[in-house]
């Protein structure tokens, strides 16, 4: 038989699969069918209405047409946002930006799909109809539209990987024709697009929706407002410093920063990305049970206690409306993630109201409880998406079999075995079709679908454990029961560890054991931190390079865990994030020279967040030495200190200082810069870089740090102390001795949080 005839014969024998969606779930499904099933068993066609792969993830900084802003920082680390067979580059930030995730997916596509003889990618083509042939129940007739033309193709299998973000939901109270801009949070890109050139006197940006996307968009708009108001350059928006955010929430939510502490009770708390603690296998009792779905009052109290330990308080220091105490601890806990939201609330840039928006007339919103919010100039809606449009290609009879319910936007269909299929619709499968799917779960779903469709997986399907898992599965009824359950959890399919284990047991996949020696033990359970990542589960049929990539990923996670628990890594990031807002400052100056009086300063210090600027010299004595580490990733603070200095002789006068504080993510270093005397919003030259000392130098007062700076002829010897209360700085101090030809004095300052 000739090679051409052999190839045609294989194509004729191969089973054809139509995958709808070229995002993470569609790509991992295609890879799994082509690489982990039998050789040449499947031919896979991936369709997407967009012109590029990635789904909601942009593939460049300028790719602003997706539902996610390209510069948005992921709320899970790269150790969770990955597939087992492709490790991230070591140079990638632990919390990648959205466009970096898109680039990862492009790399994944090139590695496993591009050039594969069984793969075709059809971009810019929308699936408008998928139905069973009239004369047969086998396969699917798929209608594809592109540029006004339609064609129909027949496939043996249909896999839905279209995602959950169908149509932005706009509340009915805001749906009538408005006189001010109303946009969905997924459409927000910048202040100019929302406010135009602004208006005299500023106004309020109303944000509706109090869960993840609401908190995230408030934090994003807050950083943009703060940056525009405190930038050294003039804003194109009139009176930008007079705008505020008004956030309407229905309940208090927990707000986690991107990095949390595995040892939250330690004053010198170590830090790691927040998912290291969330997915620590040693935090879960065995055997595993599903912690999501219906939440009892007892479970709610337990989880609230865990979240409070992570945050270090009941959040009352930020706002009474964020406080979680005995009056509401029996309600289901809701978790959100933002580095800046809580402190913007404390600082007053974000104002809160509790209730629902009932009406919007002109620039005034009516909130339940007879409250009014006036002077609104724009509304940003963060109330989620209706996923039903992602299924509009399915016929009514198929949707009915799937128990489709458009009004239940969090659970629109009821599927078997953790969202993968329905036994009454053969040849149809789903991957990643639920709210906030984890990449590791998507990959396990894809493996399970392959096990259902692949002839080579017959031994797996026939195994006792596989059959028992399917027999005992109650996923469909569970979904139906939860639809109207008033105590349903925030994410009904949010138990990453449980779901991964369920698939692994059904597929008889063993989890890779943690590396040795074990990571340091944690005080709350006296066990090592053992994080679950997708790389812990590797398919036996993966090639050698894929297994090497999985091993690399495991080593990256292991090394970072050790580094985070034994060194001050990420402490600089945590303290920089926690500086935002206003501090009370008390400082003593003791001078040994009569030309410089001793005395006491009392006042405030404000850390005003803004985008990183490029001003500043590394050395005042060398004007040609410029700041080389400034990039477009990161933020900085304009530091403004104001108060009164009283000399030891009783004289008093107003005093002020300005600095620029920066965080360099690549170096994990905070630096302090003098402000220009003639342009107080710009950095002049480097004062010093703060070196966080190791855990062996930490005390009960927190992390110790040091710095040094030679300013012409004067040497500044600087010592810091940073005391954390879980994720937030509780107080911190600075002491520096200055010696030079005309200077000989010591300054000791203590910073505590000003009252909210």
């Amino acid at each position: 038989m000739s090679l051409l005839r052999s190839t045609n014969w294989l194509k004729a024998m191969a089973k054809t699969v139509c995958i709808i969606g070229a995002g993470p779930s569609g790509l991992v499904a295609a890879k799994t069918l082509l690489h982990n099933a039998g050789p040449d068993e499947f031919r896979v066609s991936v369709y997407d209405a967009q012109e590029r792969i990635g789904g909601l993830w942009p593939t460049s900084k300028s790719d602003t047409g997706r539902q996610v802003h390209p510069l948005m920082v992921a709320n899970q680390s790269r150790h969770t946002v990955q597939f087992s067979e492709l490790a991230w580059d070591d140079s990638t930030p632990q919390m990648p930006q959205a466009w970096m995730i898109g680039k990862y997916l492009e790399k994944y596509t090139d590695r496993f799909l591009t050039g594969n003889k069984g793969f075709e990618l059809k971009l810019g083509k929308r699936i408008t109809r998928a139905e069973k042939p009239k004369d047969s129940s086998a396969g699917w007739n798929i209608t594809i539209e592109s540029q006004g033309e339609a064609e129909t193709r027949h496939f043996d299998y249909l896999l839905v990987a279209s995602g959950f973000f169908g149509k932005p939901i706009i509340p009915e109270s805001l749906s009538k024709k408005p006189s001010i801009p109303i946009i969905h949070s997924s459409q927000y890109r910048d202040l100019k697009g929302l406010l135009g050139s602004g208006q005299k006197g500023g106004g309020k940006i109303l944000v509706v929706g109090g869960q993840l996307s609401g908190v995230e968009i408030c934090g994003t708009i807050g950083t943009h407002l703060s940056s525009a108001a405190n930038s050294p350059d003039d804003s194109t928006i009139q009176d930008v410093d007079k705008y505020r955010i008004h956030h309407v929430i229905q309940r208090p939510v927990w707000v986690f920063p991107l990095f949390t502490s595995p040892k939250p009770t330690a004053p010198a708390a170590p830090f790691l990305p927040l998912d290291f603690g969330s997915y620590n296998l040693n935090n879960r009792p065995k055997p595993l049970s599903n912690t999501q779905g219906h939440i009892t009052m007892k479970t709610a109290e337990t989880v609230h206690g865990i979240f409070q330990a992570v945050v270090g308080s009941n959040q009352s220091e930020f706002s009474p409306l964020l406080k979680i105490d005995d009056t509401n601890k029996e309600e289901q806990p809701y978790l959100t993630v933002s580095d800046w939201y809580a402190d913007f609330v404390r600082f007053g840039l974000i104002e809160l109201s509790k209730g629902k928006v009932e009406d919007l007339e002109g620039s005034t919103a009516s909130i339940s409880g007879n409250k009014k919010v006036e002077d609104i100039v724009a509304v940003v809606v963060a109330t989620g998406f209706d996923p039903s449009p992602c299924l509009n290609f399915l016929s009514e009879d198929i949707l009915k079999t799937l128990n489709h319910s458009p009004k239940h936007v969090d659970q629109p269909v009821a599927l078997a075995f953790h969202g993968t299929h329905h036994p009454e619709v053969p040849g149809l499968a789903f991957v990643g079709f639920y709210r906030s799917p984890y990449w590791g779960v998507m990959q396990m779903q894809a493996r399970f679908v392959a096990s259902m469709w692949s002839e080579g997986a017959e031994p797996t399907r026939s195994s006792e454990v596989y059959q028992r898992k399917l027999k005992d599965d109650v996923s469909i009824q569970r979904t139906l029961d939860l639809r109207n359950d008033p105590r349903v959890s925030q994410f009904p399919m949010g138990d990453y560890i449980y779901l991964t284990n369920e698939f692994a047991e059904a597929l008889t996949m063993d989890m890779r054991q943690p590396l040795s020696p074990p990571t340091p033990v944690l005080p709350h359970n006296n066990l090592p931190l053992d994080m679950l990542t997708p790389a812990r589960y590797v398919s036996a049929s993966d090639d050698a390079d894929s297994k090497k990539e999985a091993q690399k990923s495991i080593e990256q996670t292991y090394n970072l865990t050790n580094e985070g628990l034994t060194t001050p890594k990420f402490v600089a990031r945590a303290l920089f994030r926690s500086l935002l807002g206003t501090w009370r400052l008390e400082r003593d100056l003791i001078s040994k020279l009569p030309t410089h009086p001793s005395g006491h300063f009392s006042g405030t210090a404000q850390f005003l967040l803004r985008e990183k600027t490029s001003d500043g010299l590394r050395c005042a004595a060398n004007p040609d030495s410029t700041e080389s580490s400034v990039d477009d990733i990161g933020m900085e603070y304009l530091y403004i200190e104001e108060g009164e200095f009283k000399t030891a002789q009783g004289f008093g006068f107003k005093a002020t200082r300005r600095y620029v504080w920066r965080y360099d993510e690549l170096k994990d270093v905070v630096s302090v810069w003098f402000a220009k005397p003639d342009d107080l919003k710009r950095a002049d030259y480097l004062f010093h870089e703060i070196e966080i000392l190791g855990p062996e130098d930490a005390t009960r007062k927190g992390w110790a740090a040091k710095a040094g700076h030679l300013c012409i002829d004067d040497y500044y010897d600087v010592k810091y102390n940073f005391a954390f209360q879980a994720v937030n700085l509780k107080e911190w101090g600075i002491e520096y001795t200055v010696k030079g030809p005309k200077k000989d004095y010591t300054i000791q300052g203590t910073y505590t949080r000003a009252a909210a």
Side-chain angles (χ1 to χ4, degrees), residues 603-660:
T604 60
Q606 286 189 323
F607 286 84
L608 305 174
L609 190 68
R610 68 187 191 186
E611 292 180 4
K612 192 179 289 185
T613 59
S614 60
D615 302 307
L617 305 175
R618 297 291 301 183
C619 177
N622 182 8
D624 296 325
S625 174
T626 58
E627 159 66 333
S628 60
S629 65
V630 169
D631 52 43
D632 61 353
I633 298 178
M635 307 294 287
E636 68 183 24
Y637 291 113
L638 175 64
Y639 172 100
I640 300 178
E641 177 185 303
E642 295 176 320
E644 184 177 11
F645 182 80
K646 286 190 175 182
T647 68
Q649 292 76 29
F651 299 106
F653 55 87
K654 298 293 183 182
T656 183
R657 289 186 182 184
R658 294 200 179 200
Y659 297 101
V660 174

Side-chain angles (χ1 to χ4, degrees), residues 712-743:
I712 313 299
D713 295 323
D714 303 321
Y715 185 76
Y716 291 71
D717 183 18
V718 188
K719 296 178 181 178
Y720 286 92
N721 185 84
F722 299 101
F724 282 87
Q725 181 174 320
V727 296
N728 293 309
L729 273 177
K730 183 179 181 181
E731 65 177 59
W732 57 285
I734 181 173
E735 174 184 338
Y736 54 92
T737 301
V738 184
K739 290 187 178 293
K742 298 181 180 180
K743 295 182 180 178

